[in-house]
Amino acid sequence: MKKLENMLEHRLNKDQNVPYPNFDSMWERIEQDTTASVHTRMSSGSQNRGRNWSKIAAVASVSVLLAAAPVYAAVHYNWDTMLRERGGIQAALAQNLGQQLDQSVTKDGVTLKLHTAIVDENRTVILFTLDVGQRQDSETWRVTGMTLKGTGGGNSSGEYNYLNWDEKNQIYNGYFESEWTPENDKVNVQLVANDIQAFSVQSLDLPLDIHSTETQSFPIGQEGMRSIEVKPFTQGQEKMLFSSAIIFDQPEAKEWAYPNIVGYKNGTLINSLPGGTYGTPGEKGEYTAQQYFKAEDVSGGQLTYKLQYMKKEKDVNGPLSFDLQLSKKQMESGTIKTSLNLPLEVGETDYTLENMVVSPTQIRVTVRSKDIDNSFPYKKYALEVAGKTLEGNLWRSPEGEPELTVLRFERPVDLEITKETPITFVAKYKVTHHGSYKITKNNDDKIPLLLTNISQKKQTIIQQLSGYPVKWTYYMQGSDLYVETGSDDAHFGGINQTHIGLDKERILGKPVTVNFAGDGNNKAIDVYKDFKGTEASIYMFYYTTDDPEKETRVQIRP
Amino acid sequence: METNRELFEAYNKDVYRTCYYMVHDAADAEDLTQDVFITVFRTNRENVEHMKAWIMKITVNHCLNHLKRKRTLQQKVSDNLYLFKKSPETPVDRLIEQRETTMEWAKYLSQLPVKLRMVITLRYMHDFSLAEVSDLLSIPLGTTKSRLHKGLKVLRRILLEAGVQIDQKEGESYEKVREYAGASVE
């Protein structure tokens, strides 16, 4: 299949034989059509028609052009708490590398004020405050849709904002972060926020019977949610899994409701364990979640369950927008770009450290993978810089370059880096894929496992995979076949998905659990709806093995 | 934000090629491309995060609607295709020449059911990930995977039936096609 895939990629992108039409005359026809239309967008910036910009002023906007001036803006506000994960930004502020903005917009008694921009080769960060007037203790505020415009499009990826309540000053401190950085000396952009909203936490009793393995349904009728279905699963000795699906009458409420199940044991709150997944859309668009609880937490004592969710209390409708002129000029002197081309592992060519960019706020290392389908094989990564260890974050690949992985390392406040500073890259916890990673690979080497006497009774088969005992448990429930896989040996990473039969007759198991590689959870459940028969040849796509001890070190400098 | 003209310049070929491979008719593809851009320009795209994916989604919908409209007639024809088929009398050499052309590939693809064709086109022409394809077509990931898999299977069969050797190297494949075609004629 791989050959066919390559051939397709090649053929479908080959230009020369495509009978392209005359695009110029097509453009003329489109122009005529769209200018004749009353529905033309006003703010699309279509310069050909010259009647667009007047309406944009209708949004709450302050148009102040600001020259880039280095000002240390963190005088009155305690940015440090908020920026505890952003040491590089603190470092830039401490060196007066911020660009003062001082613009604010007030609407419905809520003031959004921009203070400082930190712009360098790697990113743009804007510090702001949100004054919501009298805030109730139960309220949580957020700013939605914050984005930079006029950045040349396609750059709105990697944008987000973070708010932190400052008890002392009774104000929210916040920052906005974007991947985008200006290409030229000075660039005019707009920072826009859609809405500013307040939420409160609510809960609803859920008369859940966790000893029943049946799917249980409850009406909700709150915050756009119609009903919830919950199915409990026992996962090994120590965990319970609640798999749930919520049907929303008001789909937009999925954006903020964050529904999740919590337990109360003798009145004390029991939260689910980390590692749950929320909000995966189900087959009919329902909001599905998988939450894990410690088995001992949910046994014995007086147990009750509740559905916790966020209720929208206030909504300040935007957009609110700010015109800004941003520049990364002052940061340029502190930026060092180095091309590396070093293998990730000695003697291997699968992954190469390609380059490193050290900016005043962050260090980025780009890794190139030989096969675009292979993700970076280590789960932990750090840079050792002059005796200090900087933990890294994996960032998604740049657009159109899936073979690249970008690792980001935040610069601590008190670390000076020059061209001579020694730097070593360290990666730990290796995850290895085994088997057909791609769904399209041929099936020749696939060996089935035979499930026999399929019935309501739970039956178990032990299979050895890479030397680890893997337990397959299968049983019917109603008309559905459930297949659970997992191993007591934590070095086994888990099976991603199973299927019954091959080729045309193949039936795919629908994963009940969301299976991440390297998450320390090797237990997975697949369901085959409306399964007929008492025997099945079952296969898997791939499994992973974890090697938490495995470490590789790459000396970058000297 | 890009101007309309910039968007048009940036994506007209992508949109056209998709339409062309989807509907297998140059004139229809041209009309569809024009319609797609008119829709794009009339829609508020301020909040569009991934421009290409968004435009491709509009393209996909236009193609599907077009095919749906056409299907009634086409279905009748294709269901009874054997009535129209003539015995093969195209000279072998011409067959080989044609085999490698885009026209042929559009034809091979057009033999795939629409649902499979759509997934194959998005995945291999535009290199969208499986998740992105699911998103574009508003179908679950599992469905995308199975359609992709099935699409490849069916396409492989179509190609084999057409005598196209599935291989990575172009020159080599041409030679093999020639051998194959030659052998079958002798």
Side-chain angles (χ1 to χ4, degrees), chain A residues 270-286:
Chain A
I270 305 164
N271 276 312
S272 51
L273 298 165
T277 44
Y278 302 88
T280 320
E283 255 170 20
K284 294 176 198 97
E286 63 273 34

Side-chain angles (χ1 to χ4, degrees), chain A residues 27-296:
Chain A
W27 172 252
E28 278 166 26
R29 292 196 301 273
I30 292 173
E31 271 257 280
Q32 277 168 13
D33 193 288
T34 43
T35 34
S37 158
V38 207
H39 301 291
T40 317
R41 271 170 35 67
M42 297 303 171
S43 55
S44 70
S46 155
Q47 283 148 0
N48 299 345
R49 296 191 299 278
R51 53 153 165 138
N52 39 16
W53 294 105
S54 56
K55 294 264 168 119
I56 303 174
V59 298
S61 159
V62 274
S63 308
V64 187
L65 278 183
L66 281 155
V71 174
Y72 183 44
V75 183
H76 304 293
Y77 299 97
N78 178 16
W79 302 117
D80 293 353
T81 321
M82 173 185 75
L83 294 173
R84 60 189 177 272
E85 303 280 318
R86 291 285 179 276
I89 302 300
Q90 291 186 50
L93 286 174
Q95 294 168 65
N96 289 355
L97 289 172
Q99 178 186 333
Q100 197 175 14
L101 302 174
D102 280 331
Q103 297 184 34
S104 67
V105 172
T106 302
K107 201 175 177 208
D108 301 347
V110 172
T111 302
L112 179 62
K113 182 176 181 190
L114 308 189
H115 294 257
T116 313
I118 293 104
V119 186
D120 72 7
E121 188 63 33
N122 283 333
R123 61 179 163 180
T124 293
V125 171
I126 293 172
L127 304 178
F128 62 88
T129 51
L130 182 69
D131 187 348
V132 300
Q134 279 297 321
R135 172 184 168 268
Q136 307 293 315
D137 281 347
S138 60
E139 281 174 2
T140 307
W141 287 76
R142 69 165 197 175
V143 182
T144 71
M146 211 179 216
T147 182
L148 275 178
K149 300 210 163 170
T151 54
N155 276 314
S156 53
S157 61
E159 287 184 334
Y160 73 100
N161 68 81
Y162 173 81
L163 289 177
N164 185 57
W165 178 246
D166 181 347
E167 190 65 43
K168 197 174 134 213
N169 295 307
Q170 290 290 302
I171 202 164
Y172 274 107
N173 296 325
Y175 70 84
F176 164 81
E177 184 165 357
S178 169
E179 282 282 273
W180 173 84
T181 72
E183 300 233 332
N184 309 322
D185 231 15
K186 285 174 190 165
V187 174
N188 293 320
V189 287
Q190 259 194 332
L191 181 73
V192 183
N194 269 354
D195 300 299
I196 300 172
Q197 299 164 329
F199 302 89
S200 66
V201 181
Q202 304 285 329
S203 61
L204 184 80
D205 288 335
L206 222 51
L208 193 64
D209 176 8
I210 65 158
H211 302 297
S212 160
T213 51
E214 298 293 317
T215 301
Q216 301 162 49
S217 261
F218 309 100
I220 305 175
Q222 299 289 334
E223 212 58 15
M225 298 178 282
R226 187 196 302 167
S227 60
I228 182 170
E229 280 190 347
V230 186
K231 186 169 165 50
F233 289 91
T234 309
Q235 294 232 292
Q237 295 290 311
E238 65 285 354
K239 277 188 201 170
M240 282 288 295
L241 160 66
F242 292 173
S243 174
S244 63
I246 294 177
I247 297 171
F248 275 79
D249 284 327
Q250 196 190 335
E252 63 272 23
K254 285 180 196 170
E255 297 266 313
W256 68 76
Y258 295 111
N260 72 106
I261 300 169
V262 294
Y264 286 89
K265 189 175 185 176
N266 304 322
T268 313
L269 176 71
I270 305 164
N271 276 312
S272 51
L273 298 165
T277 44
Y278 302 88
T280 320
E283 255 170 20
K284 294 176 198 97
E286 63 273 34
Y287 180 102
T288 71
Q290 289 79 35
Q291 292 181 254
Y292 297 91
F293 285 87
K294 231 191 216 168
E296 61 181 89

